[in-house]
């Protein structure tokens, strides 16, 4: 199926992309195109103009920047999966990137596109919640940062304002983020997660001193699971305390129910994958 007709323009700078977006009400930014183009072909999205940002090389870098890692929004899933900086400082993110779709999707799709699109079944949201990420957005009124806890606010809805471009993802360099992982129960064809669980954990003499747990794919949008976190925090790390914490997964949350996976099964799998992630880190 072909998309409806549209105009196309290639932005040569971040500033140009922002002003093109401001000048064209019915326009969409185009990054890797692996969510937007399928949506256009299905006529779920019919922008009159595409503003192609995929040539903005300054958004394709991963670097250490003082106390945090800086990931440009146009870094591909492949780059994030293979980056030594990400693997050693925030492995939950490289874990998530490495299990997205297939090699073709990972070669073209970008971390910024995935986080801006915010599909309820996307992988990065659960991982970035676990890693306490900070997002940098640029728009007509300048640059601002958004904490991950304030970012995912609804079904396909984020705190990015109309006309804002997500430019960078920042992850603090610390021992808790270095001890993180992301595990998922994938749809066997598309590989989108039915359940994706990111965890970062710090411990002191075998006791859990801090933990963050983020779920993708389970609810209408990604969420942090404070029930699991508060049950394990301050407890000795062993099979029994981890099982008790995992048992709280998705408690009190609205859980998706579709013709592939029922609500009941998703809840059960949330516990299983939370337990696997915590066991891996303890
Ligand atoms: C077959 C298939 C399997 C997939 N499997 C998975 C999977 O297992 N897990 C998973 O998480 N995802 C999966 N995806 C989605 C994939 O990860 C996409 O690459 C990603 O969701 C979108 O990134 P993109 O760069 O392709 O963005 P695009 O499709 O170009 O854009 C998506 C949306 O984000 C906006 N946008 C893009 N970049 C920015 C920016 N920097 N700032 C502001 N807005 C921006 C666009 O305007 C558009 O609205 C799959 C996709 C396909 C086609």
């Amino acid at each position: 199926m072909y998309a409806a007709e549209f105009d196309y323009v290639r932005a040569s700078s971040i500033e140009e992309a922002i002003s093109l977006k401001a000048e064209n009400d019915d326009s969409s930014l185009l990054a890797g195109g692996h969510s937007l183009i399928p949506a256009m072909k299905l006529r779920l999205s019919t922008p009159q103009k595409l503003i192609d940002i995929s040539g903005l090389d300054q958004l394709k870098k991963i670097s250490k920047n003082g106390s945090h890692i800086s990931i440009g929004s146009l870094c591909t899933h492949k780059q994030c999966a293979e980056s030594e900086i990400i693997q050693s400082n925030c492995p939950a993110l490289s874990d998530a990137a490495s299990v997205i779709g297939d090699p073709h999707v990972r070669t073209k799709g970008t971390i910024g596109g995935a986080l801006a699109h915010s599909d309820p079944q996307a992988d990065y949201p659960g991982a970035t919640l676990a890693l306490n990420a900070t997002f940098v957005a640029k728009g007509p009124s300048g640059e601002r940062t958004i904490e991950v806890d304030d970012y995912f606010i609804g079904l396909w809805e984020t705190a990015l304002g109309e006309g804002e471009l997500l430019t960078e993802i920042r992850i603090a360099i610390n021992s808790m983020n270095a001890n993180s992982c992301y595990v998922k129960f994938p749809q066997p064809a598309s590989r989108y997660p039915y359940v994706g669980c990111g965890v970062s954990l710090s411990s002191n003499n075998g006791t859990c001193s801090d933990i963050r747990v983020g779920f993708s794919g389970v609810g209408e949008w990604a969420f942090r699971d404070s029930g699991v976190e508060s049950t394990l925090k301050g407890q000795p790390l062993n099979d029994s305390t981890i099982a008790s914490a995992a048992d709280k997964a998705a408690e009190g949350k609205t859980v998706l129910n579709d013709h592939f996976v029922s609500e009941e099964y998703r809840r059960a799998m949330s516990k299983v994958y939370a337990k696997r992630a915590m066991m891996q880190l303890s």
Side-chain angles (χ1 to χ4, degrees), residues 21 27-38 45 50-51 53 59 73-75 77 96 99-102 104-106 108-119 121-125 151 160 164-168 182 184 186-187 189-193:
K21 188 83 185 74
S27 62
S28 287
L29 300 171
L30 176 69
H34 270 60
S35 289
L36 181 58
I37 301 295
S45 178
L50 289 190
I51 301 163
I53 57 170
L59 299 180
S73 60
L74 285 175
C75 289
H77 311 322
V99 291
I100 290 176
D102 52 40
H104 183 84
V105 175
R106 293 196 288 275
K108 285 296 286 178
T110 67
I111 184 168
L115 287 165
H117 187 59
S118 189
D119 192 305
Q121 304 214 309
D123 286 294
Y124 289 123
Y151 183 81
L160 275 181
E164 275 188 323
L165 186 85
L166 180 61
T167 55
E168 184 188 342
Y182 176 84
K184 85 170 179 183
Q187 211 277 355
S190 72
R191 315 308 290 172
Y192 277 101

Side-chain angles (χ1 to χ4, degrees), residues 227-273:
V228 179
E229 292 174 2
S230 60
T231 307
L232 195 63
K233 196 167 166 180
Q235 297 299 314
L237 288 166
N238 58 46
D239 291 0
S240 149
T241 55
I242 287 174
S244 303
D247 212 39
K248 300 281 179 192
E251 199 173 270
K253 302 284 182 189
T254 305
V255 167
L256 292 171
N257 180 27
D258 54 45
H259 63 280
F260 293 116
V261 178
S262 67
E263 175 187 340
E264 194 185 11
Y265 191 51
R266 250 195 190 88
R267 280 192 191 281
M269 288 301 104
S270 301
K271 295 177 187 187
V272 168
Y273 281 79

Side-chain angles (χ1 to χ4, degrees), residues 5-251:
E5 271 195 22
F6 58 88
D7 291 331
Y8 171 91
V9 57
R10 208 169 159 84
S12 56
S13 67
I14 296 173
E15 291 66 32
E16 192 191 7
I18 291 167
S19 37
L20 282 166
K21 188 83 185 74
E23 286 158 17
N24 295 278
D25 274 353
D26 193 5
S27 62
S28 287
L29 300 171
L30 176 69
H34 270 60
S35 289
L36 181 58
I37 301 295
M40 287 171 66
K41 287 182 171 179
L42 293 168
R43 309 287 161 113
L44 296 171
S45 178
T46 51
Q48 281 181 355
K49 185 171 252 174
L50 289 190
I51 301 163
D52 188 348
I53 57 170
S54 67
L56 303 181
D57 289 343
Q58 63 271 49
L59 299 180
K60 295 179 182 173
K61 296 188 180 84
I62 299 168
S63 57
K64 277 189 177 176
N65 213 336
S67 59
H68 66 263
I69 287 167
S70 161
I71 304 160
S73 60
L74 285 175
C75 289
T76 62
H77 311 322
K78 181 174 190 293
Q79 256 180 292
C80 294
E82 293 177 357
S83 159
E84 197 278 323
I85 294 180
I86 294 181
Q87 286 171 0
S88 53
N89 291 284
C90 44
L93 201 73
S94 42
D95 286 354
S98 68
V99 291
I100 290 176
D102 52 40
H104 183 84
V105 175
R106 293 196 288 275
T107 305
K108 285 296 286 178
T110 67
I111 184 168
L115 287 165
H117 187 59
S118 189
D119 192 305
Q121 304 214 309
D123 286 294
Y124 289 123
T128 52
L129 279 163
L131 294 164
N132 202 9
T134 302
F135 302 113
V136 183
K138 256 189 183 171
S141 14
E143 184 176 281
R144 67 182 180 120
T145 55
I146 310 166
E147 298 307 318
V148 68
D149 286 345
D150 303 321
Y151 183 81
F152 302 106
I153 55 174
L155 181 61
W156 276 294
E157 204 185 344
T158 71
L160 275 181
E162 187 56 36
E164 275 188 323
L165 186 85
L166 180 61
T167 55
E168 184 188 342
I169 294 90
R170 293 181 183 160
I171 314 266
I173 299 174
N174 57 43
S175 56
M176 183 158 156
N177 282 342
N179 188 41
S180 65
C181 70
Y182 176 84
V183 292
K184 85 170 179 183
F185 169 37
Q187 211 277 355
S190 72
R191 315 308 290 172
Y192 277 101
Y194 287 139
V195 172
C197 181
V199 177
S200 67
L201 187 152
S202 63
S203 61
N204 193 356
N205 290 327
T207 295
C208 172
S209 43
D210 205 358
I211 176 168
R212 285 180 66 102
V213 178
F215 274 109
S216 288
V218 176
E220 287 193 332
W221 58 92
F223 60 85
R224 236 182 108 184
D225 201 320
S226 55
V228 179
E229 292 174 2
S230 60
T231 307
L232 195 63
K233 196 167 166 180
Q235 297 299 314
L237 288 166
N238 58 46
D239 291 0
S240 149
T241 55
I242 287 174
S244 303
D247 212 39
K248 300 281 179 192
E251 199 173 270

